[in-house]
Amino acid sequence: MNIDILTLFPEVFKIFDCSIIGRAKQKGIVSINIHNIRDYSLDKHKKVDDYPYGGGAGMLMKAQPIVDCIRSVKKKSKGKVVYLGPRGKTFNQEVAKRLANENELIFLCGHYEGIDERARKCIDEEISLGDFILTGGEAACIPIIDSICRLVPGVLSSKISYEDESFYGGLLEYPQYTRPEIFEGESVPEILLSGHHENIRKWRRLKSLEVTRKYRYDLFKKVQLTDEDKKLLRKK
């Protein structure tokens, strides 16, 4: 997958040189290219913002640097342009799975009070991280790209690595344990030490259902319970 990020603060994205995403980049599974919107400003001081017409607080990103940056990147990428802004639908795991199927993506990070409306003609989709205010699109872009890259084949060690994680199948993840077997008087559940894979699978499924029902009932209500799910819950 090839990802292009358009931003005023390229240094923020050094985080993608670390950990799982960093290793995926080294292997050539994922390519992340950072483009400084400021480089496309026609202003001699490389100014990219100005006061909004009609008055109001703050500064607005000018259309020209944004549009020229997008058009330059589009010469090499056919990816859809995704703007991180408040008008978009809230990002979730289903959106992550959809975007992970793309070969190329271009992310535009807004800043200040947003972007000149005339730059929107170059945007294909808008995504919001949630109903709260961030300093800039960079803060939203990082978790969104991280979430997408984890679903790209080869980034994680196996398909099971992400299919068992919270939200992938609409449920929160089951409780997990590692060594030592006993910590401060608390033992690892006996079933996890049994070696009986089918019983462990059922236990994990039940715990996922219970944890989701307890902590995120809004998610639990949306789950299509299987006959096995109903049986497990009845036994409990």
mmCIF file of all heavy atoms in Angstrom, residues 71-116:
data_model
loop_
_atom_site.group_PDB
_atom_site.id
_atom_site.type_symbol
_atom_site.label_atom_id
_atom_site.label_comp_id
_atom_site.label_asym_id
_atom_site.label_seq_id
_atom_site.Cartn_x
_atom_site.Cartn_y
_atom_site.Cartn_z
ATOM 1 N N ARG A 71 -2.562 18.267 -6.427
ATOM 2 C CA ARG A 71 -2.380 18.012 -7.861
ATOM 3 C C ARG A 71 -0.995 17.451 -8.166
ATOM 4 O O ARG A 71 -0.843 16.594 -9.049
ATOM 5 C CB ARG A 71 -2.614 19.298 -8.647
ATOM 6 C CG ARG A 71 -4.083 19.686 -8.710
ATOM 7 C CD ARG A 71 -4.298 21.039 -9.349
ATOM 8 N NE ARG A 71 -5.729 21.346 -9.460
ATOM 9 C CZ ARG A 71 -6.215 22.563 -9.733
ATOM 10 N NH1 ARG A 71 -5.371 23.574 -9.947
ATOM 11 N NH2 ARG A 71 -7.517 22.761 -9.807
ATOM 12 N N SER A 72 0.003 17.902 -7.426
ATOM 13 C CA SER A 72 1.360 17.386 -7.612
ATOM 14 C C SER A 72 1.445 15.916 -7.208
ATOM 15 O O SER A 72 2.016 15.095 -7.936
ATOM 16 C CB SER A 72 2.349 18.214 -6.784
ATOM 17 O OG SER A 72 3.651 17.678 -6.879
ATOM 18 N N VAL A 73 0.848 15.581 -6.065
ATOM 19 C CA VAL A 73 0.869 14.197 -5.591
ATOM 20 C C VAL A 73 0.067 13.295 -6.522
ATOM 21 O O VAL A 73 0.428 12.139 -6.767
ATOM 22 C CB VAL A 73 0.317 14.118 -4.148
ATOM 23 C CG1 VAL A 73 0.157 12.665 -3.699
ATOM 24 C CG2 VAL A 73 1.241 14.862 -3.188
ATOM 25 N N LYS A 74 -1.020 13.844 -7.068
ATOM 26 C CA LYS A 74 -1.881 13.075 -7.966
ATOM 27 C C LYS A 74 -1.185 12.681 -9.270
ATOM 28 O O LYS A 74 -1.642 11.787 -9.987
ATOM 29 C CB LYS A 74 -3.138 13.889 -8.292
ATOM 30 C CG LYS A 74 -4.238 13.807 -7.246
ATOM 31 C CD LYS A 74 -4.963 12.483 -7.351
ATOM 32 C CE LYS A 74 -6.240 12.457 -6.562
ATOM 33 N NZ LYS A 74 -6.952 11.170 -6.727
ATOM 34 N N LYS A 75 -0.075 13.316 -9.582
ATOM 35 C CA LYS A 75 0.664 12.948 -10.786
ATOM 36 C C LYS A 75 1.265 11.551 -10.670
ATOM 37 O O LYS A 75 1.520 10.883 -11.672
ATOM 38 C CB LYS A 75 1.776 13.964 -11.046
ATOM 39 C CG LYS A 75 1.280 15.345 -11.454
ATOM 40 C CD LYS A 75 2.426 16.327 -11.618
ATOM 41 C CE LYS A 75 1.928 17.720 -11.978
ATOM 42 N NZ LYS A 75 3.049 18.694 -12.093
ATOM 43 N N LYS A 76 1.479 11.121 -9.420
ATOM 44 C CA LYS A 76 2.070 9.801 -9.191
ATOM 45 C C LYS A 76 1.116 8.828 -8.504
ATOM 46 O O LYS A 76 1.316 7.623 -8.549
ATOM 47 C CB LYS A 76 3.337 9.933 -8.344
ATOM 48 C CG LYS A 76 4.467 10.680 -9.031
ATOM 49 C CD LYS A 76 5.711 10.708 -8.155
ATOM 50 C CE LYS A 76 6.858 11.416 -8.855
ATOM 51 N NZ LYS A 76 8.085 11.454 -7.985
ATOM 52 N N SER A 77 0.098 9.349 -7.844
ATOM 53 C CA SER A 77 -0.830 8.504 -7.105
ATOM 54 C C SER A 77 -2.251 8.654 -7.627
ATOM 55 O O SER A 77 -2.709 9.766 -7.895
ATOM 56 C CB SER A 77 -0.803 8.865 -5.610
ATOM 57 O OG SER A 77 -1.816 8.174 -4.905
ATOM 58 N N LYS A 78 -2.947 7.536 -7.747
ATOM 59 C CA LYS A 78 -4.348 7.537 -8.161
ATOM 60 C C LYS A 78 -5.272 7.408 -6.956
ATOM 61 O O LYS A 78 -6.484 7.239 -7.099
ATOM 62 C CB LYS A 78 -4.610 6.390 -9.143
ATOM 63 C CG LYS A 78 -3.842 6.506 -10.460
ATOM 64 C CD LYS A 78 -4.151 5.336 -11.378
ATOM 65 C CE LYS A 78 -3.374 5.462 -12.688
ATOM 66 N NZ LYS A 78 -3.631 4.311 -13.590
ATOM 67 N N GLY A 79 -4.683 7.475 -5.753
ATOM 68 C CA GLY A 79 -5.459 7.287 -4.541
ATOM 69 C C GLY A 79 -6.487 8.378 -4.304
ATOM 70 O O GLY A 79 -6.324 9.520 -4.740
ATOM 71 N N LYS A 80 -7.561 8.010 -3.595
ATOM 72 C CA LYS A 80 -8.562 9.004 -3.236
ATOM 73 C C LYS A 80 -7.986 9.927 -2.171
ATOM 74 O O LYS A 80 -7.155 9.530 -1.360
ATOM 75 C CB LYS A 80 -9.837 8.335 -2.723
ATOM 76 C CG LYS A 80 -9.665 7.527 -1.440
ATOM 77 C CD LYS A 80 -11.010 7.096 -0.856
ATOM 78 C CE LYS A 80 -11.787 6.233 -1.807
ATOM 79 N NZ LYS A 80 -13.064 5.765 -1.215
ATOM 80 N N VAL A 81 -8.423 11.186 -2.197
ATOM 81 C CA VAL A 81 -7.956 12.180 -1.236
ATOM 82 C C VAL A 81 -8.899 12.183 -0.037
ATOM 83 O O VAL A 81 -10.100 12.449 -0.178
ATOM 84 C CB VAL A 81 -7.889 13.589 -1.866
ATOM 85 C CG1 VAL A 81 -7.445 14.610 -0.817
ATOM 86 C CG2 VAL A 81 -6.938 13.588 -3.054
ATOM 87 N N VAL A 82 -8.357 11.869 1.121
ATOM 88 C CA VAL A 82 -9.138 11.805 2.358
ATOM 89 C C VAL A 82 -8.756 12.994 3.234
ATOM 90 O O VAL A 82 -7.593 13.151 3.610
ATOM 91 C CB VAL A 82 -8.874 10.491 3.116
ATOM 92 C CG1 VAL A 82 -9.691 10.445 4.403
ATOM 93 C CG2 VAL A 82 -9.204 9.284 2.230
ATOM 94 N N TYR A 83 -9.738 13.815 3.563
ATOM 95 C CA TYR A 83 -9.504 14.980 4.424
ATOM 96 C C TYR A 83 -9.950 14.659 5.844
ATOM 97 O O TYR A 83 -11.042 14.122 6.058
ATOM 98 C CB TYR A 83 -10.274 16.183 3.885
ATOM 99 C CG TYR A 83 -10.222 17.413 4.769
ATOM 100 C CD1 TYR A 83 -9.005 17.964 5.179
ATOM 101 C CD2 TYR A 83 -11.399 18.040 5.189
ATOM 102 C CE1 TYR A 83 -8.957 19.088 5.986
ATOM 103 C CE2 TYR A 83 -11.357 19.181 5.987
ATOM 104 C CZ TYR A 83 -10.134 19.688 6.387
ATOM 105 O OH TYR A 83 -10.081 20.806 7.187
ATOM 106 N N LEU A 84 -9.096 14.959 6.815
ATOM 107 C CA LEU A 84 -9.440 14.734 8.212
ATOM 108 C C LEU A 84 -10.150 15.975 8.736
ATOM 109 O O LEU A 84 -9.520 16.996 9.029
ATOM 110 C CB LEU A 84 -8.187 14.448 9.049
ATOM 111 C CG LEU A 84 -7.471 13.101 8.850
ATOM 112 C CD1 LEU A 84 -8.443 11.950 8.803
ATOM 113 C CD2 LEU A 84 -6.600 13.090 7.621
ATOM 114 N N GLY A 85 -11.485 15.905 8.803
ATOM 115 C CA GLY A 85 -12.261 17.075 9.206
ATOM 116 C C GLY A 85 -13.562 16.692 9.890
ATOM 117 O O GLY A 85 -14.003 15.540 9.833
ATOM 118 N N PRO A 86 -14.229 17.657 10.519
ATOM 119 C CA PRO A 86 -15.414 17.384 11.336
ATOM 120 C C PRO A 86 -16.683 17.032 10.571
ATOM 121 O O PRO A 86 -17.630 16.504 11.153
ATOM 122 C CB PRO A 86 -15.607 18.693 12.120
ATOM 123 C CG PRO A 86 -15.009 19.744 11.240
ATOM 124 C CD PRO A 86 -13.836 19.078 10.575
ATOM 125 N N ARG A 87 -16.734 17.309 9.266
ATOM 126 C CA ARG A 87 -17.943 16.992 8.499
ATOM 127 C C ARG A 87 -18.041 15.519 8.146
ATOM 128 O O ARG A 87 -19.107 15.033 7.747
ATOM 129 C CB ARG A 87 -17.971 17.797 7.194
ATOM 130 C CG ARG A 87 -18.047 19.298 7.366
ATOM 131 C CD ARG A 87 -18.154 19.961 6.005
ATOM 132 N NE ARG A 87 -17.944 21.401 6.063
ATOM 133 C CZ ARG A 87 -17.905 22.183 5.000
ATOM 134 N NH1 ARG A 87 -18.064 21.663 3.788
ATOM 135 N NH2 ARG A 87 -17.700 23.486 5.130
ATOM 136 N N GLY A 88 -16.933 14.823 8.243
ATOM 137 C CA GLY A 88 -16.901 13.434 7.803
ATOM 138 C C GLY A 88 -17.581 12.477 8.767
ATOM 139 O O GLY A 88 -17.847 12.805 9.927
ATOM 140 N N LYS A 89 -17.856 11.277 8.281
ATOM 141 C CA LYS A 89 -18.388 10.225 9.138
ATOM 142 C C LYS A 89 -17.308 9.793 10.121
ATOM 143 O O LYS A 89 -16.119 9.828 9.808
ATOM 144 C CB LYS A 89 -18.838 9.029 8.292
ATOM 145 C CG LYS A 89 -20.069 9.322 7.438
ATOM 146 C CD LYS A 89 -20.533 8.075 6.710
ATOM 147 C CE LYS A 89 -21.795 8.366 5.898
ATOM 148 N NZ LYS A 89 -22.257 7.156 5.164
ATOM 149 N N THR A 90 -17.733 9.380 11.289
ATOM 150 C CA THR A 90 -16.782 8.991 12.330
ATOM 151 C C THR A 90 -16.052 7.711 11.941
ATOM 152 O O THR A 90 -16.671 6.732 11.509
ATOM 153 C CB THR A 90 -17.498 8.784 13.672
ATOM 154 O OG1 THR A 90 -18.201 9.983 14.004
ATOM 155 C CG2 THR A 90 -16.509 8.477 14.784
ATOM 156 N N PHE A 91 -14.754 7.730 12.093
ATOM 157 C CA PHE A 91 -13.918 6.581 11.749
ATOM 158 C C PHE A 91 -14.197 5.417 12.685
ATOM 159 O O PHE A 91 -14.354 5.592 13.901
ATOM 160 C CB PHE A 91 -12.437 6.982 11.855
ATOM 161 C CG PHE A 91 -11.480 5.918 11.420
ATOM 162 C CD1 PHE A 91 -11.271 5.650 10.079
ATOM 163 C CD2 PHE A 91 -10.779 5.168 12.359
ATOM 164 C CE1 PHE A 91 -10.388 4.667 9.674
ATOM 165 C CE2 PHE A 91 -9.893 4.195 11.968
ATOM 166 C CZ PHE A 91 -9.692 3.942 10.619
ATOM 167 N N ASN A 92 -14.257 4.219 12.120
ATOM 168 C CA ASN A 92 -14.394 3.001 12.923
ATOM 169 C C ASN A 92 -13.718 1.840 12.191
ATOM 170 O O ASN A 92 -13.105 2.029 11.138
ATOM 171 C CB ASN A 92 -15.871 2.687 13.218
ATOM 172 C CG ASN A 92 -16.702 2.519 11.951
ATOM 173 O OD1 ASN A 92 -16.186 2.130 10.898
ATOM 174 N ND2 ASN A 92 -17.985 2.806 12.034
ATOM 175 N N GLN A 93 -13.824 0.651 12.754
ATOM 176 C CA GLN A 93 -13.113 -0.492 12.186
ATOM 177 C C GLN A 93 -13.611 -0.859 10.792
ATOM 178 O O GLN A 93 -12.831 -1.320 9.951
ATOM 179 C CB GLN A 93 -13.226 -1.699 13.124
ATOM 180 C CG GLN A 93 -12.334 -2.870 12.764
ATOM 181 C CD GLN A 93 -10.854 -2.558 12.906
ATOM 182 O OE1 GLN A 93 -10.479 -1.617 13.608
ATOM 183 N NE2 GLN A 93 -10.008 -3.334 12.262
ATOM 184 N N GLU A 94 -14.890 -0.635 10.536
ATOM 185 C CA GLU A 94 -15.424 -0.937 9.202
ATOM 186 C C GLU A 94 -14.817 -0.015 8.149
ATOM 187 O O GLU A 94 -14.508 -0.441 7.038
ATOM 188 C CB GLU A 94 -16.960 -0.818 9.206
ATOM 189 C CG GLU A 94 -17.662 -1.900 10.011
ATOM 190 C CD GLU A 94 -17.259 -3.303 9.577
ATOM 191 O OE1 GLU A 94 -17.303 -3.580 8.365
ATOM 192 O OE2 GLU A 94 -16.905 -4.117 10.452
ATOM 193 N N VAL A 95 -14.640 1.242 8.504
ATOM 194 C CA VAL A 95 -13.999 2.187 7.583
ATOM 195 C C VAL A 95 -12.539 1.785 7.378
ATOM 196 O O VAL A 95 -12.018 1.834 6.261
ATOM 197 C CB VAL A 95 -14.083 3.632 8.124
ATOM 198 C CG1 VAL A 95 -13.345 4.590 7.193
ATOM 199 C CG2 VAL A 95 -15.535 4.058 8.276
ATOM 200 N N ALA A 96 -11.883 1.363 8.458
ATOM 201 C CA ALA A 96 -10.483 0.918 8.361
ATOM 202 C C ALA A 96 -10.369 -0.253 7.389
ATOM 203 O O ALA A 96 -9.464 -0.280 6.535
ATOM 204 C CB ALA A 96 -9.956 0.519 9.736
ATOM 205 N N LYS A 97 -11.270 -1.223 7.489
ATOM 206 C CA LYS A 97 -11.227 -2.389 6.599
ATOM 207 C C LYS A 97 -11.466 -1.988 5.145
ATOM 208 O O LYS A 97 -10.824 -2.520 4.237
ATOM 209 C CB LYS A 97 -12.271 -3.422 7.053
ATOM 210 C CG LYS A 97 -11.874 -4.168 8.319
ATOM 211 C CD LYS A 97 -12.777 -5.353 8.586
ATOM 212 C CE LYS A 97 -14.011 -4.953 9.321
ATOM 213 N NZ LYS A 97 -14.807 -6.146 9.768
ATOM 214 N N ARG A 98 -12.375 -1.033 4.941
ATOM 215 C CA ARG A 98 -12.655 -0.579 3.572
ATOM 216 C C ARG A 98 -11.432 0.115 2.972
ATOM 217 O O ARG A 98 -11.039 -0.166 1.832
ATOM 218 C CB ARG A 98 -13.862 0.366 3.584
ATOM 219 C CG ARG A 98 -14.121 1.042 2.245
ATOM 220 C CD ARG A 98 -15.433 1.791 2.238
ATOM 221 N NE ARG A 98 -15.493 2.859 3.217
ATOM 222 C CZ ARG A 98 -14.961 4.064 3.043
ATOM 223 N NH1 ARG A 98 -14.292 4.348 1.932
ATOM 224 N NH2 ARG A 98 -15.088 4.991 3.973
ATOM 225 N N LEU A 99 -10.822 1.002 3.724
ATOM 226 C CA LEU A 99 -9.676 1.740 3.210
ATOM 227 C C LEU A 99 -8.444 0.847 3.048
ATOM 228 O O LEU A 99 -7.592 1.101 2.195
ATOM 229 C CB LEU A 99 -9.354 2.921 4.131
ATOM 230 C CG LEU A 99 -10.404 4.034 4.170
ATOM 231 C CD1 LEU A 99 -9.986 5.132 5.138
ATOM 232 C CD2 LEU A 99 -10.633 4.627 2.775
ATOM 233 N N ALA A 100 -8.350 -0.196 3.863
ATOM 234 C CA ALA A 100 -7.210 -1.112 3.771
ATOM 235 C C ALA A 100 -7.208 -1.880 2.455
ATOM 236 O O ALA A 100 -6.181 -2.450 2.056
ATOM 237 C CB ALA A 100 -7.212 -2.091 4.950
ATOM 238 N N ASN A 101 -8.339 -1.889 1.763
ATOM 239 C CA ASN A 101 -8.424 -2.570 0.467
ATOM 240 C C ASN A 101 -7.929 -1.691 -0.691
ATOM 241 O O ASN A 101 -7.834 -2.155 -1.814
ATOM 242 C CB ASN A 101 -9.868 -3.002 0.194
ATOM 243 C CG ASN A 101 -10.287 -4.171 1.062
ATOM 244 O OD1 ASN A 101 -9.497 -5.076 1.313
ATOM 245 N ND2 ASN A 101 -11.523 -4.151 1.534
ATOM 246 N N GLU A 102 -7.641 -0.431 -0.391
ATOM 247 C CA GLU A 102 -7.127 0.482 -1.413
ATOM 248 C C GLU A 102 -5.628 0.257 -1.605
ATOM 249 O O GLU A 102 -4.913 -0.059 -0.660
ATOM 250 C CB GLU A 102 -7.367 1.942 -1.001
ATOM 251 C CG GLU A 102 -8.828 2.308 -0.775
ATOM 252 C CD GLU A 102 -9.576 2.512 -2.080
ATOM 253 O OE1 GLU A 102 -8.923 2.738 -3.114
ATOM 254 O OE2 GLU A 102 -10.826 2.452 -2.060
ATOM 255 N N ASN A 103 -5.165 0.427 -2.816
ATOM 256 C CA ASN A 103 -3.722 0.319 -3.081
ATOM 257 C C ASN A 103 -2.992 1.631 -2.793
ATOM 258 O O ASN A 103 -1.811 1.637 -2.447
ATOM 259 C CB ASN A 103 -3.477 -0.085 -4.538
ATOM 260 C CG ASN A 103 -3.932 -1.498 -4.829
ATOM 261 O OD1 ASN A 103 -3.763 -2.389 -3.998
ATOM 262 N ND2 ASN A 103 -4.516 -1.707 -5.997
ATOM 263 N N GLU A 104 -3.713 2.745 -2.953
ATOM 264 C CA GLU A 104 -3.124 4.069 -2.748
ATOM 265 C C GLU A 104 -4.120 4.960 -2.014
ATOM 266 O O GLU A 104 -5.328 4.910 -2.290
ATOM 267 C CB GLU A 104 -2.743 4.705 -4.085
ATOM 268 C CG GLU A 104 -1.697 3.936 -4.868
ATOM 269 C CD GLU A 104 -1.429 4.538 -6.238
ATOM 270 O OE1 GLU A 104 -2.413 4.731 -6.992
ATOM 271 O OE2 GLU A 104 -0.257 4.815 -6.541
ATOM 272 N N LEU A 105 -3.618 5.782 -1.104
ATOM 273 C CA LEU A 105 -4.450 6.723 -0.367
ATOM 274 C C LEU A 105 -3.679 8.022 -0.168
ATOM 275 O O LEU A 105 -2.456 8.008 0.004
ATOM 276 C CB LEU A 105 -4.853 6.161 0.998
ATOM 277 C CG LEU A 105 -5.888 5.026 1.027
ATOM 278 C CD1 LEU A 105 -5.949 4.406 2.415
ATOM 279 C CD2 LEU A 105 -7.261 5.545 0.607
ATOM 280 N N ILE A 106 -4.396 9.130 -0.188
ATOM 281 C CA ILE A 106 -3.795 10.436 0.052
ATOM 282 C C ILE A 106 -4.553 11.094 1.210
ATOM 283 O O ILE A 106 -5.771 11.268 1.125
ATOM 284 C CB ILE A 106 -3.872 11.336 -1.196
ATOM 285 C CG1 ILE A 106 -3.164 10.681 -2.377
ATOM 286 C CG2 ILE A 106 -3.283 12.711 -0.905
ATOM 287 C CD1 ILE A 106 -3.423 11.364 -3.711
ATOM 288 N N PHE A 107 -3.845 11.439 2.266
ATOM 289 C CA PHE A 107 -4.476 12.056 3.434
ATOM 290 C C PHE A 107 -4.092 13.536 3.519
ATOM 291 O O PHE A 107 -2.916 13.885 3.463
ATOM 292 C CB PHE A 107 -4.055 11.344 4.714
ATOM 293 C CG PHE A 107 -4.675 9.993 4.881
ATOM 294 C CD1 PHE A 107 -4.039 8.859 4.395
ATOM 295 C CD2 PHE A 107 -5.913 9.843 5.502
ATOM 296 C CE1 PHE A 107 -4.607 7.606 4.535
ATOM 297 C CE2 PHE A 107 -6.492 8.597 5.644
ATOM 298 C CZ PHE A 107 -5.845 7.473 5.161
ATOM 299 N N LEU A 108 -5.093 14.383 3.665
ATOM 300 C CA LEU A 108 -4.887 15.822 3.812
ATOM 301 C C LEU A 108 -5.166 16.225 5.253
ATOM 302 O O LEU A 108 -6.274 16.006 5.761
ATOM 303 C CB LEU A 108 -5.806 16.596 2.865
ATOM 304 C CG LEU A 108 -5.875 18.114 3.070
ATOM 305 C CD1 LEU A 108 -4.506 18.758 2.837
ATOM 306 C CD2 LEU A 108 -6.929 18.726 2.147
ATOM 307 N N CYS A 109 -4.167 16.799 5.904
ATOM 308 C CA CYS A 109 -4.310 17.243 7.295
ATOM 309 C C CYS A 109 -4.572 18.744 7.330
ATOM 310 O O CYS A 109 -3.732 19.536 6.908
ATOM 311 C CB CYS A 109 -3.039 16.938 8.090
ATOM 312 S SG CYS A 109 -2.579 15.193 8.112
ATOM 313 N N GLY A 110 -5.725 19.123 7.818
ATOM 314 C CA GLY A 110 -6.032 20.530 7.984
ATOM 315 C C GLY A 110 -5.376 21.080 9.240
ATOM 316 O O GLY A 110 -4.863 20.322 10.072
ATOM 317 N N HIS A 111 -5.399 22.383 9.393
ATOM 318 C CA HIS A 111 -4.832 22.995 10.593
ATOM 319 C C HIS A 111 -5.485 24.359 10.796
ATOM 320 O O HIS A 111 -6.281 24.816 9.969
ATOM 321 C CB HIS A 111 -3.312 23.136 10.462
ATOM 322 C CG HIS A 111 -2.597 22.928 11.760
ATOM 323 N ND1 HIS A 111 -2.383 21.688 12.307
ATOM 324 C CD2 HIS A 111 -2.061 23.808 12.646
ATOM 325 C CE1 HIS A 111 -1.730 21.805 13.446
ATOM 326 N NE2 HIS A 111 -1.532 23.093 13.682
ATOM 327 N N TYR A 112 -5.150 25.009 11.896
ATOM 328 C CA TYR A 112 -5.734 26.308 12.244
ATOM 329 C C TYR A 112 -7.256 26.170 12.320
ATOM 330 O O TYR A 112 -7.754 25.262 12.972
ATOM 331 C CB TYR A 112 -5.288 27.386 11.255
ATOM 332 C CG TYR A 112 -3.793 27.410 11.037
ATOM 333 C CD1 TYR A 112 -3.231 27.201 9.773
ATOM 334 C CD2 TYR A 112 -2.920 27.599 12.119
ATOM 335 C CE1 TYR A 112 -1.852 27.207 9.595
ATOM 336 C CE2 TYR A 112 -1.537 27.595 11.937
ATOM 337 C CZ TYR A 112 -1.016 27.403 10.680
ATOM 338 O OH TYR A 112 0.336 27.390 10.491
ATOM 339 N N GLU A 113 -8.005 27.041 11.642
ATOM 340 C CA GLU A 113 -9.469 26.974 11.692
ATOM 341 C C GLU A 113 -10.053 26.147 10.553
ATOM 342 O O GLU A 113 -11.256 26.171 10.314
ATOM 343 C CB GLU A 113 -10.056 28.389 11.656
ATOM 344 C CG GLU A 113 -9.756 29.211 12.896
ATOM 345 C CD GLU A 113 -10.269 28.563 14.159
ATOM 346 O OE1 GLU A 113 -11.449 28.157 14.189
ATOM 347 O OE2 GLU A 113 -9.487 28.457 15.134
ATOM 348 N N GLY A 114 -9.194 25.441 9.820
ATOM 349 C CA GLY A 114 -9.684 24.618 8.723
ATOM 350 C C GLY A 114 -9.132 25.076 7.387
ATOM 351 O O GLY A 114 -8.102 25.748 7.323
ATOM 352 N N ILE A 115 -9.823 24.719 6.328
ATOM 353 C CA ILE A 115 -9.334 25.031 4.982
ATOM 354 C C ILE A 115 -10.340 25.895 4.223
ATOM 355 O O ILE A 115 -11.544 25.858 4.490
ATOM 356 C CB ILE A 115 -9.063 23.741 4.177
ATOM 357 C CG1 ILE A 115 -10.366 22.943 3.957
ATOM 358 C CG2 ILE A 115 -8.017 22.883 4.874
ATOM 359 C CD1 ILE A 115 -10.214 21.738 3.058
ATOM 360 N N ASP A 116 -9.826 26.663 3.284
ATOM 361 C CA ASP A 116 -10.672 27.440 2.372
ATOM 362 C C ASP A 116 -11.616 26.469 1.648
ATOM 363 O O ASP A 116 -11.201 25.419 1.140
ATOM 364 C CB ASP A 116 -9.770 28.167 1.357
ATOM 365 C CG ASP A 116 -10.534 29.127 0.462
ATOM 366 O OD1 ASP A 116 -11.505 28.693 -0.191
ATOM 367 O OD2 ASP A 116 -10.134 30.296 0.402
#
